[in-house]
Amino acid sequence: MTGIPSLADLVWARGYTDPAWARRHTTAGRELVPSRRVWRGPDGASPLPAAPAGALDGLAFTGPHGQDLTLTELLAGAETDALLVLHRGLVVHEEYLHGYEPHVPHFNASAAKSYLGLVAAALAHEGQLDRGAQVGTIVPELAGTAFGDAQVDHLLHMGTRMSYAGRPYDKALEAQRYFAVLAPQLRPYGYTGPSTIREHLATAQATGEPGIAFRYENGNVEALAEVLRRVTGTTTSALLSEMIWSRIGAEEDAYYLLDSEGAEAACGGFSATARDLARLGEMIRCGGAVGGRQIVPEAVASTVVSGVPDGYPRRVRFPAAPPEAPATLSYHDLWWIPNDPYGSFMASGIHGQRLFVSPALDLVIVHYASQIVSPAVPQVPLVQAFLRIGTHLRG
């Protein structure tokens, strides 16, 4: 990759305004803090056969201002690093931009939340995880905190309300504070806060009853990851490898960033190649199976959309959506659900990372990007573009 800043220039706040910084961060995570691999296993990679080229030629998309865009213009506007489209198991489009290479793991950001949700749902289905258990009974260090007083299922649905260290809750500030916990290089001058994820979680005090409202917050996922580590007795990396990554025919190891205690940054510190993420999505689209081998229970794979439990908000907004925006999405087991006619669901991360799965359209799309995150920069409507691709391929 060319024209990228040095590691010395990596200051977290710049990721909201500088695509070159964001692009550097997507592949340089292991140079900032320690990491742990998610082993791809001993078997060879499963094939990703290609369809004839040109399936998306001439396709038109709608831009953020309602203008017509070509695919090239769409990808440029979204600061795309990679786009991979699978239709009925065949690669119909695979493209890498800005010097990003197919074999290099790419930062998934908050899309990683959904992969942990899939693991948790599978463990619950198999009876190894009690969704109704109080978190503090599994992780005693969190007893008396907003997360410890919640149930496991509340974490899976962003159902806690808290403030950290007595601060009024502000999502953007808390996101930056979280990364300051993880990476000393990203801490502001004079920082005296927590130095580990667990210390950070321990400062969360409840400001409302859990399970009532939806509020997207990284701490829910970090608390869930600690629950899974206690229940299974293994690391998040080893658990994801054992249950999924080593079984989908991945080409490359993935990896998680670690805090100073060696705990994975489960809410967003995961990186993988686009091709391997496509394999994950295709496994879910096919009812949790790869080549006739069941990877996750079919009941888990088939109920991502239909399984939103009673008592939770049926419609929610994206974290960055303004309060007046209509709540059109649903959220289940850390997956976003667009509520389109095709039963689609997706993992979504800051800067434009997406794993989009649409069973009725036989579609899986991986999108990696380095978008600027700012109200001043119109966001390319990626979900609408994905549906345009899917309906076009369906014919």
Side-chain angles (χ1 to χ4, degrees):
M1 302 177 75
T2 59
I4 55 179
S6 70
L7 288 176
D9 293 330
L10 292 185
V11 179
W12 174 250
R14 286 184 59 191
Y16 292 88
T17 59
D18 185 347
W21 182 98
R23 186 158 287 116
R24 174 62 161 151
H25 186 262
T26 59
T27 56
R30 283 179 290 187
E31 301 173 49
L32 284 172
V33 296
S35 65
R36 180 176 294 131
R37 74 169 181 166
V38 179
W39 187 39
R40 57 169 295 278
D43 299 329
S46 61
L48 284 179
L56 303 186
D57 288 352
L59 194 58
F61 300 89
T62 301
H65 301 294
Q67 74 274 36
D68 288 341
L69 298 177
T70 64
L71 179 59
T72 298
E73 292 169 335
L74 177 89
L75 299 184
E79 293 286 352
T80 301
D81 299 326
L83 176 70
L84 197 155
V85 179
L86 286 179
H87 185 241
R88 296 173 182 162
L90 300 178
V91 177
V92 299
H93 190 88
E94 184 174 10
E95 185 171 359
Y96 300 90
L97 301 165
H98 299 289
Y100 175 58
E101 298 176 278
H103 66 279
V104 176
H106 192 287
F107 191 52
N108 276 224
S110 286
K113 294 176 170 65
S114 302
Y115 320 149
L116 192 72
L118 185 67
V119 168
L123 289 171
H125 180 83
E126 294 166 358
Q128 298 184 60
L129 177 68
D130 180 2
R131 287 177 176 265
Q134 190 175 44
V135 171
T137 64
I138 303 172
V139 187
E141 300 93 319
L142 294 181
T145 70
F147 302 116
D149 292 345
Q151 296 177 2
V152 171
D153 204 57
H154 296 150
L155 305 182
L156 280 160
H157 293 89
M158 297 289 178
T160 62
R161 296 189 72 82
M162 85 300 294
S163 66
Y164 288 101
R167 297 186 296 271
Y169 184 83
D170 179 275
K171 185 184 183 309
L173 172 63
E174 295 307 338
Q176 294 186 36
R177 298 282 295 199
Y178 169 81
F179 281 97
V181 169
L182 185 65
Q185 301 94 322
L186 304 181
R187 292 174 186 169
Y189 177 77
Y191 177 84
T192 59
S195 60
T196 69
I197 294 171
R198 186 168 54 176
E199 289 177 0
H200 176 62
L201 297 180
T203 71
Q205 297 301 308
T207 58
E209 183 180 351
I212 303 300
F214 173 89
R215 187 164 75 184
Y216 190 82
E217 165 52 34
N218 289 331
N220 290 298
V221 184
E222 297 301 350
L224 175 66
E226 189 60 31
V227 166
L228 299 187
R229 287 191 281 265
R230 303 297 175 95
V231 168
T232 64
T234 190
T235 66
T236 303
S237 301
L239 184 62
L240 183 61
S241 172
E242 177 185 345
M243 294 186 64
I244 295 178
W245 213 252
S246 66
R247 306 178 69 195
I248 60 172
E251 292 181 62
E252 305 285 348
D253 293 341
Y255 71 89
Y256 276 106
L257 302 183
L258 306 177
D259 74 0
S260 60
E261 284 188 328
E264 289 89 348
C267 74
F270 177 84
S271 291
T273 69
R275 291 177 66 83
D276 286 341
L277 200 61
R279 289 179 169 94
L280 172 61
E282 181 68 3
M283 176 270 288
I284 306 172
R285 184 188 76 82
C286 294
V290 174
R293 179 190 184 194
Q294 202 69 35
I295 309 302
V296 300
E298 192 277 336
V300 171
S302 64
T303 58
V304 173
V305 171
S306 62
V308 182
D310 293 334
Y312 288 91
R314 310 303 292 185
R315 294 292 186 269
V316 300
R317 300 177 184 87
F318 263 137
E324 66 274 12
T328 60
L329 304 167
S330 297
Y331 198 78
H332 176 50
D333 286 349
L334 307 181
W335 289 88
W336 293 98
I337 303 166
N339 292 308
D340 60 37
Y342 312 107
S344 307
F345 50 95
M346 67 178 175
S348 175
I350 197 171
H351 303 306
Q353 324 316 340
R354 301 285 189 275
L355 170 61
F356 186 83
V357 181
S358 189
L361 293 174
D362 301 314
L363 181 72
V364 173
I365 295 180
V366 177
H367 183 267
Y368 283 157
S370 301
Q371 288 180 332
I372 296 172
V373 181
S374 167
V377 179
Q379 299 298 297
V380 172
L382 288 171
V383 173
Q384 293 91 325
F386 299 160
L387 291 173
R388 178 75 181 97
I389 289 171
T391 54
H392 169 77
L393 293 172
R394 183 184 62 171

